[in-house]
Each structure stands twice: as C-alpha cells, then as structure tokens.
Amino acid sequence: QQQVKQSPQSLIVQKGGIPIINCAYENTAFDYFPWYQQFPGKGPALLIAIRPDVSEKKEGRFTISFNKSAKQFSLHIMDSQPGDSATYFCAVVGAGSYQLTFGKGTKLSVIP
Amino acid sequence: KAGVTQTPRYLIKTRGQQVTLSCSPISGHRSVSWYQQTPGQGLQFLFEYFSETQRNKGNFPGRFSGRQFSNSRSEMNVSTLELGDSALYLCASSPGGSSNQPQHFGDGTRLSIL
C-alpha cells in the first residue's frame, strides 16, 4: 500500500508564482517529514524538514505547512524561479525506523 | 565538508553477473542507507546500516545485500543480475543517533543491465 500520497504529479507555474505540493500520509507513527529536490543526473538534495510538534517551518523561500490532525503536509515555494525547476519528493520517517518512505514525486516547471 | 560519495557513477553489466557499489558517507556520519530509484517504482528503501550492523531492511530479494565497514563506508552487492535491476542506486548518510535526523544523498550509481 502507498503510505505517502503526493500531488500533483506535475506543475507548471510562471516565474514569481507560488507552487504548492501536497502530501498525505496514513500512519500516525511518523515523526519526521522532509522534502527533497532532485535535478536530472543528481541525487535528491534535502530542502527542508519538519517534526510533528511544529505546524509551520520556513527556510528562505521554502515553507512547510504541517497538519497533524489531517495527516497532511505541504511545500510552498515563494517567488519561484526557473532554477527551481526540478522534481520534488516528500518523505516520511517512522519513529525509530531510519527508513525514508517517499512520495512519487512532483515535476515542477517554472517558466520565465 | 565533503558530501556523500558514490562510486562508480555508471556501470553496465549483463544478466547473471554480480555487482558491488560503494558509498563513502559524510565525515562523522555513522548511518548509511541505500535506495533504488526507477521511473516506475520511484524511490524505494533497500537497507540501513549503523556501526557495521544492519538495522532495517526493505522488501527486496536476498540477491541484494550490503555491509558497512568500521570507517562507516558501505558497499552494496547485487548478485545474479536481472534486467529489472536497472536503476539509479542511491546512498544516504546521517549521524544515525536518532531517526529524525537529516539524511543526505550522494549522486548515485546508474546501473544498466543488458
């Protein structure tokens, strides 16, 4: 079964727009929620992460919103740039498991 | 500080052969995890090692194995290669003391099976 559902699969926004990527999870035992950015030919790079005791976290232009009761979390990219065009993955980690379970990814294209 | 280093970057093998991939973690990191990335299945967890011990294992057949050395470097071995093993194999490292610590990835080894 798919433990993490990520949407949308692809997203096109204009430069300066605010793309939002959503993830929903099923298991309440997860305790770490990172987002990764991947460019072609590269490994995933950690962007930002949140723990379930916090509802929002900002780092630069990236913000995670976390809704524990709804079991959802989302990534917002402020003032998006063409250089942000990449595939974004959400992930979850269960307490004590050390295993990242990933969503299927969202391909973001930011057009000038 | 150097990142996670994976070697080789590219490999071409034929069915039935075996292959060994190598991963050097970030200095000071004691946990190394391996993932397989394919277009169809996405990113899937293979296994995780900490202080030379496998702590966690994903749902892959026994042909996939790994080990970790005392300097935290890790190797992954795949025996009796099948066409479906063609994938990008990624290694991630973290300090390892807690499950909610950041994991940082290398750029992977692209394995192609002919």
Side-chain angles (χ1 to χ4, degrees), chain B residues 42-67:
Chain B
L43 284 148
Q44 293 186 287
F45 173 77
L46 281 154
F47 30 66
E48 185 255 352
Y49 287 86
F50 179 79
S51 292
E52 301 178 68
T53 300
Q54 187 181 89
R55 273 196 305 202
N56 204 357
K57 188 177 188 303
N59 289 330
F60 278 82
R63 300 185 297 106
F64 292 81
S65 63
R67 59 178 176 167

Side-chain angles (χ1 to χ4, degrees), chain A residues 31-32 36 38 41-44 46 51 89 93-100 102 104, chain B residues 9 35 37 41 43 45 48 55-56 90 96-103 105-107:
Chain A
D31 73 345
Y32 185 64
Y36 285 86
Q38 187 175 28
K42 295 289 191 179
L46 179 64
R51 295 185 174 88
F89 295 93
V93 180
S97 84
Y98 305 93
Q99 170 183 339
L100 286 161
F102 286 91
K104 292 292 188 183
Chain B
R9 287 297 312 278
Y35 293 82
Q37 186 175 27
Q41 298 300 316
L43 284 148
F45 173 77
E48 185 255 352
R55 273 196 305 202
N56 204 357
L90 293 157
S98 170
S99 60
N100 59 9
Q101 291 174 315
Q103 294 191 34
F105 284 84
D107 285 335

Side-chain angles (χ1 to χ4, degrees), chain A residues 66-85:
Chain A
F66 183 78
N67 186 329
K68 190 173 181 177
S69 61
K71 291 186 282 185
Q72 293 177 348
F73 59 111
S74 60
L75 176 70
H76 302 230
I77 305 175
M78 305 301 176
D79 187 28
S80 58
Q81 302 295 314
D84 297 328
S85 298

